[in-house]
Amino acid sequence: MNKEQSGVLKAWEATVRKTHAAKKRANSIFGTITMATAAEDDLENNNDKGDNASGEPYLVEKILPNGDYFTGQWFDNFPEGQGKYLWTDGCMYLGEWHKGKTMGKGRFSWPSGATYEGEFKSGYIDGIGIYTGPSGDTYKGQWVMNFKHGNGIRLYPNGDWYDGEWRRGLQEGLGKYQWQNENHYIGEWKNGVICGNGTFVWSNGNKYDGQWEEGLPYGNGTFYWPDGSFYEGNWSKEPGEHNGTYHPAESSQAENIDWDPQSVYAELADCKICPRENVSIMPSQKVLAWYTAKTDDNPRRLSVDGRASISMERPDKMHMWESDDDSNDCPEPRRESDSEISCIQHQHDDTNPKFNPDLPLKVPKIGKRPGESISRGHKNYELMLNLQLGIRHSVGRPAPATSLDLKAAAFDPKEKIWTRFPTEGSKYTPPHQCCEFKWKDYCPVVFRALRKLFKVDPADYMISICGNGALRELSSPGKSGSFFYLTEDDRYMIKTMKKSEVKVFIRMLFAYYNHVRNFENTLVIKYYGLHCVKLTGPIQRKVRFIIMGNLLRSEYTIHRRFDLKGSSLGRITDKSESEIDNTTILKDLDLNFIFKLQKSWFDEFCWQIDRDCEFLEQERTMDYSLLVGIHFKEIAANGEIVPCGSRSSSGNLETEATPPDMEEQNLDPKRSGAIKLGTNMPARVERTIRKPEAVFHLVGEQTGECYEVIIYFGIIDILQDYDITKRLEHAYKSIQYDPTSISAVDPKQYSKRFRDFIFKVVCEDT
């Protein structure tokens, strides 16, 4: 932006802030949105109203305290429908809104001339859309949370283009890149670099087909000439590691050629991949600011995703709830983390029993059984049959008695068994109605020993997974994109895995085996098998599975479920209290309880958490969480949870049968059979309340109101390595948010923060 333009913007901003006459000027500069549903005379009346008796959106026009401008449809103190928002720095959004969030189709433009037109979700670029950069580069395709993610085409300013798969803003998967000189590459990518199997074709007809690493040939590959001659071998940029053989064309009599394979690397040096563009600020990072319709003397700042922000003008956080009478001269607001923003919104909801101490707690509604049964006609029906055939083969095949003292060779990454399953059957496999597939068992001896260690009966294991009942498919509740399958008896969960996760688990398998063997009461998730299905045919894709125990399998109804990490950024559920049922996974900022364990159990819990976190820290993993399930023992007929000491004399309670030996087992944990650390544990929970002055605390204030419960808990998601992706995520988010609030941190720091948080929400019942 040149000096002249900057001066004009500053003058315009000052004028808008200081004079109401800027309202007419803004109308003439930015135009208005035509609304067929609102009459002209309604606009004047509705501008002074905080609510609309008709229950329909109405038109408003607002000059906001910081100089921003909004015009469009408004309902219940938020933009609702079509609207335009202009920031004083020249950014503009024009499109659909829902409850104050940019939601639906819209257009966002930057002062640089860059534009995005397409779908938005909760303030983020999310869906299908077209981004045009200031220099003319264009991306058209799928987006997730401001990142190019999915299939898309990007045209670069220099004439290059890429058409293929993206992940987190970088080329990853299968794709084609063509340079302006007509050279092109078709094949696999990873983190924006050519990596995997692929073919590079030069404009002169030469071609390399083979393996790549970091943008260069590495491994087995073949170089072809147009005359039919070719060179095949093992490729490496280091001449000493390179070897191969030249094969002349049939028409040629030459036995060798004066050609150096290293010249290919020199030619590829000129074929650079265009770098990703730098966007100055994303739409979700823009702050909205306006007067609410009902309380014009008390402005509330909203982030672009519509959630109330605590970034008020006063630097003193303790006074952030007070109004600012001199709002016209306020400095630019600071940006707080999304977690703090979300927390404010929930605290102001006086109808939410989680955060209003005057409302009684009620058990959530009972949701339908999660997942979709995989029956004939389901897209993954054949994959399920492949999995069941493979498990039956792996567990049922004859094997020598398994000793728990395993040799180091059993943990070797190369220790895997491939089995072919032809349709007509073979000597070792039965005939089946699926297409032919291959089945891989990773470290089979180790997992056979683990099943023995965890006292899993092979017959019961096969019946659960391979019996007549179909598996149920659950979409991933997290961000990994993995799918979960649940057995009919809820005993086991099967999760699809990325290759990187498999590598992490194989790397830590030896340490994991020793850990679970040495600590019988470990809270770390139990794994029973690691497998891979390779589908034959034109798409030879591999699907990797890990089989684990279901921590929350219970004879009791699990009323509340929490996934706790000890971080705050984004750690809140985007559901109202009425939308939450007993299957909803709640997060750290949703937590409104402290868990109280008897002294013997609490001492055991603290000791085991320390051992488990030491193990995970040593293995350099992070992003794990404590999954907690709560069953409330005493519930009134109206659904209210009955506090301790408030039992109804009429006995009008809804309780589930308690095992007869519950009290006896509760006296001495060492005698427990059905009860053990993390499973079927009698305990109490104390209700907590998040008050405005404690908004920055992950743990709310204790109320003294306690409830009898049975709890289940364990540590899950332990296979996230602190790799380059997580390091970059940490660096990127640290610029925008408090580094201590984000999930992606160094394993040592993550372990300490996780333990500190867990020991605050779990305490001894005195």
Side-chain angles (χ1 to χ4, degrees), residues 289-352:
W290 52 61
Y291 284 114
T292 59
K294 290 184 179 179
T295 56
D296 284 353
D297 60 339
N298 183 19
R300 180 170 72 166
R301 295 197 177 277
L302 299 179
S303 69
V304 76
D305 64 0
R307 293 177 292 187
S309 170
I310 61 174
S311 53
M312 304 299 286
E313 291 72 26
R314 298 177 184 268
D316 185 358
K317 295 178 182 178
M318 297 305 294
H319 298 287
M320 63 189 171
W321 298 99
E322 300 176 6
S323 62
D324 193 340
D325 295 329
D326 194 19
S327 58
N328 285 340
D329 296 321
C330 64
E332 286 297 315
R334 67 183 182 87
R335 182 167 61 248
E336 298 291 339
S337 73
D338 285 350
S339 56
E340 295 164 344
I341 291 169
S342 301
C343 191
I344 297 290
Q345 179 191 21
H346 283 260
Q347 288 167 355
H348 276 84
D349 184 0
D350 293 334
T351 65
N352 190 339

Side-chain angles (χ1 to χ4, degrees), residues 360-363 632-643 646-648 650-655 707:
L361 280 179
K362 291 189 175 184
V363 290
F632 294 97
K633 294 177 69 174
E634 296 187 0
I635 304 167
N638 62 359
E640 292 181 7
I641 306 170
V642 180
S646 302
R647 298 190 178 187
S648 170
S650 64
N652 190 19
L653 299 176
E654 293 182 359
T655 60
Y707 304 87

Side-chain angles (χ1 to χ4, degrees), residues 564-616:
L564 306 174
K565 292 180 183 287
S567 59
S568 58
L569 181 62
R571 300 294 297 164
I572 196 163
T573 304
D574 292 328
K575 286 186 177 181
S576 65
E577 186 68 11
S578 61
E579 295 174 312
I580 293 174
D581 61 32
N582 71 311
T583 65
T584 303
I585 304 292
L586 302 172
K587 301 179 184 178
D588 301 62
L589 292 175
D590 298 303
L591 183 64
N592 57 331
F593 297 108
I594 285 179
F595 307 96
K596 293 176 172 285
L597 306 180
Q598 290 186 5
K599 177 174 173 51
S600 54
W601 285 117
F602 177 70
D603 293 342
E604 175 74 13
F605 173 82
C606 293
W607 187 86
Q608 191 60 58
I609 282 285
D610 280 333
R611 304 291 81 73
D612 290 340
C613 286
E614 288 170 2
F615 157 67
L616 296 171

Side-chain angles (χ1 to χ4, degrees), residues 753-764:
R753 185 182 66 188
F754 178 81
R755 275 186 278 190
D756 290 345
F757 173 66
I758 295 302
F759 292 152
K760 287 178 182 177
V761 298
V762 180
C763 63
E764 180 181 342

Side-chain angles (χ1 to χ4, degrees), residues 361 363-364 551-552 554 556-562 564 582 584 586 591-596 627-633 635 641 656 681 683-686 707-713 761:
L361 280 179
V363 290
L551 287 175
L552 301 187
S554 168
Y556 303 97
T557 300
I558 301 296
H559 296 122
R560 286 290 193 198
R561 301 164 191 257
F562 292 94
L564 306 174
N582 71 311
T584 303
L586 302 172
L591 183 64
N592 57 331
F593 297 108
I594 285 179
F595 307 96
K596 293 176 172 285
L627 182 65
V628 182
I630 306 175
H631 165 77
F632 294 97
K633 294 177 69 174
I635 304 167
I641 306 170
E656 298 187 31
M681 289 185 61
R684 294 198 307 162
V685 295
E686 181 177 353
Y707 304 87
E708 295 282 348
V709 298
I710 296 171
I711 61 174
Y712 300 77
F713 50 81
V761 298

Side-chain angles (χ1 to χ4, degrees), residues 4 49 147 222 251 291 336 415 518 598 718 733 763:
E4 182 179 356
K49 293 182 180 179
F147 285 104
T222 305
S251 58
Y291 284 114
E336 298 291 339
E415 189 67 17
N518 293 333
Q598 290 186 5
I718 67 170
K733 289 186 176 179
C763 63

